[in-house]
Amino acid sequence: MLRNFPLRHPLPVFAAAETAKSQKTLGELPEWDLGALYDAPESPRLKNDLEQAERAADDMHTRYAGKLAALLDGGNGGAALAEAVRSYEALNDLLGRIVSYASLRYSANTADPARQKFYGDIQERITAISSKLLFFPLELNRLDDAALETAMTGAELGHFRPWLEDLRKEKPYQLEDKLEQLFHEKSVTARGAWDRLFNETMTALRFDVNGEELSLEPTLNLLLDADEKKREHAAKALGKVFEENVRLFTLITNTLAKDKEISDRWRGFEDVADARHLSNRVEREVVDALVAAVRDAYPRLSHRYYAMKAKWLGKKKLMYWDRNAPLPEEPKQVIGWDDARETVLTAYGDFSPRMSDIAGRFFTDGWIDAPVREGKQQGAFSHPTVPSAHPFILLNYQGKPRDVMTLAHELGHGVHQVLANKQGPLMAPTPLTLAETASVFGEMLTFRKLLDNAPSKRERKALLAAKVEDMLNTVVRQIAFYSFERKVHAERREGELTSERLGELWMDVQRESLGPAIELKPEYETFWSYIPHFIHAPFYVYAYAFGDCLVNSLYAVYEKADAGFAERYLDMLAAGGTKHHTELLKPFGLDASEPHFWSMGLKVIEGLIDELEAMDEKGEA
């Protein structure tokens, strides 16, 4: 019912430990102001909104439960039912505002007991209130198809046609009302509790790197260090701590996989990923074609690139901790916050002044939380909150080139969310596949701007290599993650998986995807355990590859398009969740359901690798 938001995986973007020296170099990093939601947990407005939400939920249940069919019999062109949908929509916005505030406060410091309690208490209260509204979508889906279709010809109910038609797609998988209520209420003590245990465990972990105790983010960041010994020590520290905690992570993984299997079985989903495909409004065949195309391209993409990188670093093979190591050509300077902001906004502005103006508000109006802090959630995200407010972006910014690309990525989400808000709480949410398209397009604009301004062939090579690595992490690596998840969930249907078996599956997909140029050591077997998407959003990860390949094709259209491309692109974003991907892409002459669509996007990555190979042959870098 409430809006999902895209998560940014901690790979390939990492955050570093905050030091006085780097802080001075970075300049003043912004922290968000959540006042657009609520001033404080003790805010009288928050208290009043919770009470108002409870009253409104009770009122909706009294007025409409068991009575929606009668509203269609009134002969008023669906106006009465439209009024009910508007009430449901308004209450969604209010509940979303409350839970967004609690979630954002918690993500800023997941180690704070007071924030943990506030977040948990709000989750429980919102779940209790929203359980009173479960009848509404269930009863809507029991309405007669012909009667509903007739009612939607009227303007008032017709406005909600995209949402109602989307809702009907879930009809075959609905359960009876009492079962839906049980699933909903137990989510707090089931999946929600295990999610929270994972988060708080990860936040508490400490890694001994050469005598220094580091949390996860700064330890991961060392895998980007120019010093190979630092990378190796960090990698081994990660493996050691993951191994020490692997029993807990194995239990969490097995429990959540079984929880999903129970839900899928009761609802009638056939394939382990069908529920995700439904929520993404994408056909299984389209995803299968994407996965097959990427796996077929492994030798031409990741295998070939990592062999080249090994040569650049003077090695026969790369150790797994060398995979994201910087090249000798990569600039060593730290990129200050002001420079990062200017880089991204200029790239956005060259494409569309309107896009830059919207992105600029995130900086001027306190919508970004950028510094690394003890206890802060890893990675990055753009949270849409609700249409009556605005999105908020969380980063762990430390001035590396990839941090600038993460900023561009999240601002892509943010601009998308702002534009889609005009569709309202029910129709603004966008399937993850298209949400990642907006973010990756923002990255592509920024990359092309940096590439055009590269002062030398050495820096051009470094930029190209960094972009290829990001693409491999976004496409190849995420499809490998998806393959791993499929194996885990399929085997879980037959019984629990041991830690050893999870490690075997992990190593199998990593060897297949990374290729023979990367050597995987035994401690790498536990690196599956820290990937948050496996816990929070099963099968989410293919959306990254979907978005990257789609953007590659979309950008190729942009380079050849007339002056109206930017307007068509922003119109696509503003559609929110009102259109299927085939309809959204039609103005650009693209169709993701075409058999050869994915190979077009993959050829863009292959072309960048070709360019790097040609530079080597010519001795240009």
Side-chain angles (χ1 to χ4, degrees):
M1 182 175 65
L2 304 176
R3 294 177 74 178
N4 293 321
F5 62 95
L7 301 150
R8 178 67 162 171
H9 193 273
L11 282 174
V13 180
F14 308 100
E18 191 170 26
T19 64
K21 181 179 178 181
S22 66
Q23 186 67 33
K24 182 177 179 181
T25 305
L26 292 173
E28 185 175 354
L29 296 176
E31 298 186 12
W32 56 30
D33 176 8
L34 300 181
L37 299 172
Y38 298 100
D39 294 329
E42 304 80 17
S43 164
R45 183 186 174 199
L46 175 57
K47 180 176 181 293
N48 291 338
D49 280 356
L50 278 166
E51 292 171 353
Q52 179 188 339
E54 287 184 337
R55 289 193 302 269
D58 288 336
D59 180 63
M60 275 209 71
H61 197 274
T62 300
R63 291 178 63 193
Y64 296 119
K67 303 170 185 176
L68 295 187
L71 297 181
L72 287 183
D73 296 335
N76 55 13
L81 184 58
E83 181 184 351
V85 174
R86 282 193 294 271
S87 297
Y88 178 75
E89 181 177 50
L91 190 45
N92 262 263
D93 192 88
L94 183 59
L95 293 172
R97 173 183 291 271
I98 295 167
V99 79
S100 294
Y101 177 68
S103 174
L104 290 168
R105 283 194 82 252
Y106 174 67
S107 65
N109 187 356
T110 62
D112 178 15
R115 293 180 188 234
Q116 293 170 1
K117 174 176 168 48
F118 177 68
Y119 178 54
D121 288 348
I122 289 294
Q123 276 191 313
E124 290 183 11
R125 196 154 175 194
I126 294 299
T127 299
I129 295 171
S130 58
S131 67
K132 300 172 185 177
L133 303 175
L134 283 176
F135 80 91
F136 194 78
L138 298 174
E139 197 169 323
L140 280 173
N141 270 349
R142 288 196 292 267
L143 294 176
D144 177 75
D145 288 342
L148 183 61
E149 180 60 37
T150 299
M152 286 193 296
T153 59
E156 290 192 64
L157 192 61
H159 169 74
F160 294 103
R161 176 184 286 274
W163 178 71
L164 291 166
E165 290 182 344
D166 254 5
L167 194 63
R168 304 297 263 193
K169 293 174 184 175
E170 299 178 4
K171 184 176 179 178
Y173 310 103
Q174 285 182 185
L175 305 174
E176 59 185 80
D177 291 19
K178 286 295 184 182
L179 280 173
E180 289 286 359
Q181 186 173 358
L182 178 63
F183 269 63
H184 184 67
E185 292 188 11
K186 282 188 68 65
S187 65
V188 174
T189 55
R191 173 166 289 279
W194 291 99
D195 282 358
R196 182 172 162 187
L197 174 62
F198 175 85
N199 281 343
E200 294 178 10
T201 300
M202 276 296 168
T203 299
L205 292 182
R206 292 297 178 268
F207 304 85
D208 185 348
V209 184
N210 291 331
E212 186 178 3
E213 291 290 316
L214 301 175
S215 60
L216 179 61
E217 285 283 0
T219 309
L220 287 171
N221 181 72
L222 289 174
L223 298 179
L224 288 174
D225 200 276
D227 186 331
E228 182 177 358
K229 284 298 180 185
K230 288 183 180 179
R231 297 196 303 270
E232 180 180 358
H233 291 156
K236 291 185 178 297
L238 289 165
K240 179 176 183 294
V241 174
F242 293 156
E243 175 63 31
E244 290 169 353
N245 291 272
V246 74
R247 288 179 60 194
L248 174 60
F249 295 131
T250 299
L251 175 61
I252 293 172
T253 298
N254 273 296
T255 301
L256 288 175
K258 183 61 178 179
D259 181 84
K260 185 180 184 306
E261 185 275 327
I262 293 169
S263 177
D264 285 353
R265 175 161 39 86
W266 276 82
R267 295 187 180 282
F269 288 111
E270 179 183 337
D271 185 77
V272 293
D274 276 351
R276 175 62 63 193
H277 301 333
L278 177 65
S279 68
N280 281 343
R281 299 300 185 254
V282 64
E283 298 74 22
R284 188 200 301 176
E285 295 76 16
V286 172
V287 178
D288 289 347
L290 165 65
V291 173
V294 174
R295 292 182 67 184
D296 181 66
Y298 284 169
R300 304 190 303 276
L301 301 179
S302 49
H303 297 189
R304 182 162 66 119
Y305 175 78
Y306 291 130
M308 288 169 57
K309 184 168 184 177
K311 183 180 69 174
W312 295 337
L313 295 181
K315 297 172 175 287
K316 291 184 178 179
K317 277 190 173 185
L318 295 173
M319 295 295 106
Y320 72 88
W321 53 77
D322 296 325
R323 187 171 57 82
N324 286 302
L327 298 183
E329 292 87 353
E330 188 169 309
K332 302 298 189 295
Q333 80 272 15
V334 174
I335 302 170
W337 179 252
D338 289 344
D339 290 338
R341 179 188 62 216
E342 185 65 23
T343 296
V344 177
L345 291 183
T346 299
Y348 277 29
D350 288 348
F351 174 73
S352 164
R354 184 181 173 208
M355 189 173 177
S356 180
D357 289 345
I358 295 171
R361 294 192 63 192
F362 283 80
F363 297 95
T364 59
D365 295 359
W367 298 1
I368 301 177
D369 193 85
V372 176
R373 289 189 301 271
E374 186 74 17
K376 186 175 178 180
Q377 182 172 321
Q378 61 175 318
F381 62 70
S382 181
H383 194 311
T385 72
V386 289
S388 62
H390 56 74
F392 287 93
I393 287 175
L394 177 142
L395 303 169
N396 283 279
Y397 187 84
Q398 283 295 299
K400 294 186 180 294
R402 281 173 171 149
D403 290 333
V404 179
M405 299 307 291
T406 299
L407 175 61
H409 180 102
E410 298 308 333
L411 282 170
H413 282 310
V415 169
H416 189 186
Q417 290 157 357
V418 169
L419 289 169
N421 276 346
K422 73 174 187 178
Q423 303 295 345
L426 298 180
M427 295 184 289
T430 306
L432 295 174
T433 44
L434 291 168
E436 291 303 338
T437 298
S439 57
V440 176
F441 195 83
E443 282 190 74
M444 182 64 85
L445 291 172
T446 304
F447 163 69
R448 291 294 179 182
K449 185 68 177 177
L450 291 171
L451 194 65
D452 289 344
N453 294 334
S456 68
K457 290 180 179 179
R458 283 177 60 84
E459 290 204 18
R460 181 179 177 84
K461 176 183 176 181
L463 284 167
L464 281 170
K467 183 58 178 173
V468 168
E469 291 188 15
D470 280 348
M471 286 174 154
L472 295 180
N473 282 325
T474 305
V475 177
V476 169
R477 192 158 171 79
Q478 302 307 319
I479 291 302
F481 285 174
Y482 177 70
S483 299
F484 171 73
E485 282 190 281
R486 289 194 61 85
K487 292 175 184 289
V488 169
H489 283 265
E491 289 199 16
R492 185 63 182 92
R493 290 185 171 187
E494 306 302 321
E496 287 201 6
L497 287 81
T498 64
S499 302
E500 290 75 18
R501 182 56 181 158
L502 288 166
E504 289 172 3
L505 295 176
W506 173 255
M507 295 292 271
D508 285 347
V509 300
Q510 294 305 305
R511 290 190 188 99
E512 179 195 23
S513 62
L514 298 176
I518 290 187
E519 185 171 339
L520 303 175
K521 295 293 188 180
E523 68 272 10
Y524 192 66
E525 290 183 3
T526 57
F527 272 57
W528 58 267
S529 61
Y530 84 99
I531 310 298
H533 297 64
F534 297 162
I535 304 302
H536 303 317
F539 304 110
Y540 179 115
V541 289
Y542 75 75
Y544 289 120
F546 191 111
D548 196 282
C549 289
L550 197 159
V551 164
N552 289 341
S553 300
L554 196 61
Y555 199 87
V557 174
Y558 164 55
E559 290 183 310
K560 300 174 185 176
D562 56 29
F565 181 93
E567 288 72 24
R568 294 199 303 275
Y569 175 76
L570 295 181
D571 286 345
M572 180 182 77
L573 300 189
T578 63
K579 296 179 180 179
H580 188 263
H581 64 80
T582 53
E583 188 178 357
L584 287 170
L585 294 176
K586 192 173 182 179
F588 306 99
L590 299 173
D591 185 352
S593 65
E594 288 290 329
H596 303 296
F597 174 81
W598 301 113
S599 62
M600 294 164 49
L602 294 170
K603 283 179 180 176
V604 172
I605 308 175
E606 196 171 348
L608 295 179
I609 298 174
D610 289 343
E611 185 174 347
L612 284 167
E613 202 167 51
M615 292 176 77
D616 267 5
E617 291 172 356
K618 294 177 182 178
E620 292 182 348

